[in-house]
Amino acid sequence: MSTTTVTPLTIQDAEALVTAARRAAEAADVKVSVTVLDAGGHLLAFRRDDRAVLISGETSTRKAYTALQLGTPTADLVEAVQPGGLFHTLPTALDRPLLFIAGGVPVHRDGRLIGAIGVGGGAPEQDHGFATTAVQTLA
C-alpha cells in the first residue's frame, strides 16, 4: 500500500492565485476582492481593490468557503439551491457562511482538494472567469 503526499497550498501559491485573478479582473476593468483559503478553510491570502464594492470582501470569502466545502465551483451550484433543487434548503439549514453565486472555485493538486479561491466584485460570470483563470495558472 503506497501513500502519496500532496503538497498543501502554500502562501506562494495563494499569492500567485490572488495576482492572477486580479490581473484577469484588471484586464476586464473590474474592481474585485480575492480570497484564498487552505484545505482547512483558513485564510491564506486576501486582497480588495481600492474601488471594489465593500461587500465584495465578504462575498469573495463566502464563495471560496462554499467551493471548498462542497468541492465544486459555485457556478455549478446555483441551480441546485433553486426551489426543487437538490440543495434547496442547504443555505438556511446550516449555520455556515455559504454563498451560491458564481465566483468560488476549488483548487486541486494531484487530484486532491487543497484549497479554494473566491472572487467578488464583478458580475457572477466575470468573477467565475477570474477565479478559473487564476486556478489554471497554478496548474
Side-chain angles (χ1 to χ4, degrees):
M1 174 186 223
S2 70
T3 59
T4 53
T5 303
V6 175
T7 305
L9 198 62
T10 64
I11 189 65
Q12 290 82 9
D13 293 333
E15 289 172 352
L17 286 165
V18 168
T19 298
R22 289 189 64 243
R23 281 191 182 135
E26 196 174 89
D29 199 30
V30 177
K31 304 298 182 204
V32 296
S33 290
V34 182
T35 301
V36 178
L37 304 177
D38 68 13
H42 306 287
L43 183 66
L44 270 183
F46 173 80
R47 178 72 182 253
R48 183 178 69 82
D49 289 331
D50 289 337
R51 298 190 186 277
V53 294
L54 295 178
I55 198 171
S56 67
E58 181 70 19
T59 61
S60 70
T61 301
R62 287 178 178 236
K63 289 175 185 185
Y65 182 81
T66 304
L68 178 68
Q69 292 299 312
L70 296 172
T72 193
T74 54
D76 297 347
L77 298 167
V78 175
E79 291 298 316
V81 295
Q82 301 305 314
L86 182 62
F87 295 144
H88 175 58
T89 60
L90 194 57
T92 54
L94 300 174
D95 183 29
R96 297 281 185 230
L98 301 174
L99 186 60
F100 296 89
I101 298 173
V105 177
V107 179
H108 294 88
R109 180 176 284 145
D110 299 327
R112 300 275 295 278
L113 181 64
I114 60 167
I117 182 173
V119 179
E125 307 76 38
Q126 289 176 310
D127 292 345
H128 175 74
F130 304 149
T132 300
T133 296
V135 171
Q136 289 168 347
T137 64
L138 196 62

